[in-house]
Amino acid sequence: MRIAFLDSGIGGITVLNEALKQLPDENYLYFADTLHVPYGTKSMEEVNACVKQSVDRIMNEQVKALVIACNTATSSAISELRNSYSIPIIGMEPAVKPAVEMNRTTGKRVLVFATELTLKQSKYTNLVSRVDEQCIVDSMPLPELVEHCEALNFDRNNIQDFFTTKLATFDLENYGTIVLGCTHFPFYTDILKEMLPEHIQVVDGNAGTVNRLSQLLQSTDHIHTNSSSRVEYMCSSNDPEYIKKMKRAMEILRT
């Protein structure tokens, strides 16, 4: 039995990469809904339909747990998915709470990068309302960064120019943490750290998500040990070239 990861494209590979570090003896299935990438620019209803279609297909693949490795899909579809399937289903949440805690006594602000739909969803706005007592959280949609990632555009100069333009109106001295609220965005963590002031920390929700996955597997006695990990890649378009892209993206993360 395998652990499945679902995203619209290659972004969730950053979460899978974290799982390979924390749970190296598990077998994995990574499924990209390439027929409908990206999710972040669609309506909630469209995302729900896309996710349901993909999960129905994944459930035919002998999986013991499912990670919705996409903040947008989680905020739109997680409740319905948990009501529809009996296996553990783990979602993503932007790391706003730990970021706020990190800056509670520093006087610095928090800036959240995410997709437009994630930032509009009540799941995100309720999260911010619940943890941001000092009103230090700002948000910015970066749909173009998803496009850069899907094109495997990791050219440092090009991406740094992109960030410089997007951050031009922000006084970065006022910020202590940037939250990467889309699973595509951790591909650019190193580039961001190179260009940001040293005092700014960059965080994402990947480790927390995999921690939760590990806890659920242990509590149900479904943890796998004494094995070598295997990863299978699938996509809704059955495109062999995209399969190659996913494998290349994983290589980029692990080098």
Side-chain angles (χ1 to χ4, degrees):
M1 298 288 282
R2 299 180 286 179
I3 301 168
F5 286 73
L6 168 66
D7 186 26
S8 61
I10 65 173
I13 289 175
T14 63
V15 194
L16 172 59
N17 183 49
E18 180 65 29
L20 287 166
K21 295 175 184 176
Q22 290 195 36
L23 300 167
D25 297 323
E26 296 288 344
N27 294 317
Y28 298 97
L29 168 66
Y30 186 86
F31 189 95
D33 187 13
T34 47
L35 288 175
H36 305 110
V37 63
Y39 285 163
T41 56
K42 292 179 170 56
S43 69
M44 180 176 175
E45 291 74 21
E46 289 173 320
V47 172
N48 284 348
C50 296
V51 171
K52 180 66 164 58
Q53 186 176 6
S54 292
V55 174
D56 282 344
R57 185 169 168 185
I58 289 169
M59 290 300 173
N60 293 322
E61 298 294 330
Q62 297 290 304
V63 298
K64 62 181 179 180
L66 171 63
V67 178
I68 306 300
C70 170
N71 288 273
T72 299
T74 297
S75 61
S76 296
I78 194 74
S79 296
E80 184 177 337
L81 291 175
R82 287 172 174 161
N83 289 332
S84 300
Y85 303 99
S86 59
I87 67 170
I89 298 179
I90 299 92
M92 301 290 303
E93 182 175 86
V96 176
K97 182 177 180 179
V100 168
E101 290 296 328
M102 290 160 61
N103 292 275
R104 190 173 296 280
T105 60
T106 66
K108 300 292 186 182
R109 301 186 64 78
V110 173
L111 180 58
V112 181
F113 294 159
T115 66
E116 292 172 286
L117 185 55
T118 292
L119 297 178
K120 289 178 182 177
Q121 288 297 311
S122 59
K123 190 173 189 298
Y124 175 76
T125 56
N126 290 342
L127 169 66
V128 174
S129 296
R130 189 171 69 249
V131 304
D132 185 23
E133 298 168 354
Q134 297 174 309
C135 297
I136 61 172
V137 175
D138 298 317
S139 308
M140 182 165 65
L142 288 181
E144 307 94 333
L145 197 57
V146 176
E147 296 173 9
H148 282 304
C149 187
E150 286 294 319
L152 297 183
N153 178 9
F154 302 117
D155 178 78
R156 270 175 158 68
N157 290 334
N158 185 275
I159 297 301
Q160 285 186 352
D161 287 345
F162 168 80
F163 281 126
T164 298
T165 299
K166 289 295 180 178
L167 293 169
T169 60
F170 291 85
D171 183 354
L172 295 180
E173 290 302 315
N174 293 330
Y175 290 86
T177 307
I178 286 180
V179 177
L180 304 181
C182 170
T183 55
H184 284 79
F185 296 174
F187 276 100
Y188 299 103
T189 298
D190 290 344
I191 296 177
L192 257 177
K193 286 181 176 178
E194 285 179 8
M195 63 174 294
L196 290 171
E198 288 186 5
H199 71 273
I200 296 182
Q201 300 184 68
V202 180
V203 300
D204 60 62
N206 292 357
T209 297
V210 177
N211 286 339
R212 179 60 180 155
L213 168 65
S214 179
Q215 291 168 2
L216 285 174
L217 292 176
Q218 290 174 4
S219 68
T220 57
D221 202 25
H222 281 141
I223 205 85
H224 199 187
T225 58
N226 301 320
S227 174
S228 57
S229 181
R230 297 194 306 274
V231 180
E232 180 183 359
Y233 296 91
M234 296 175 61
C235 60
S236 56
S237 59
N238 298 316
D239 180 1
E241 290 303 313
Y242 201 89
I243 301 292
K244 292 179 183 177
K245 178 190 283 192
M246 290 190 282
K247 292 178 178 179
R248 174 59 183 147
M250 178 60 82
E251 290 172 0
I252 291 168
L253 278 178
R254 295 178 76 82
T255 53

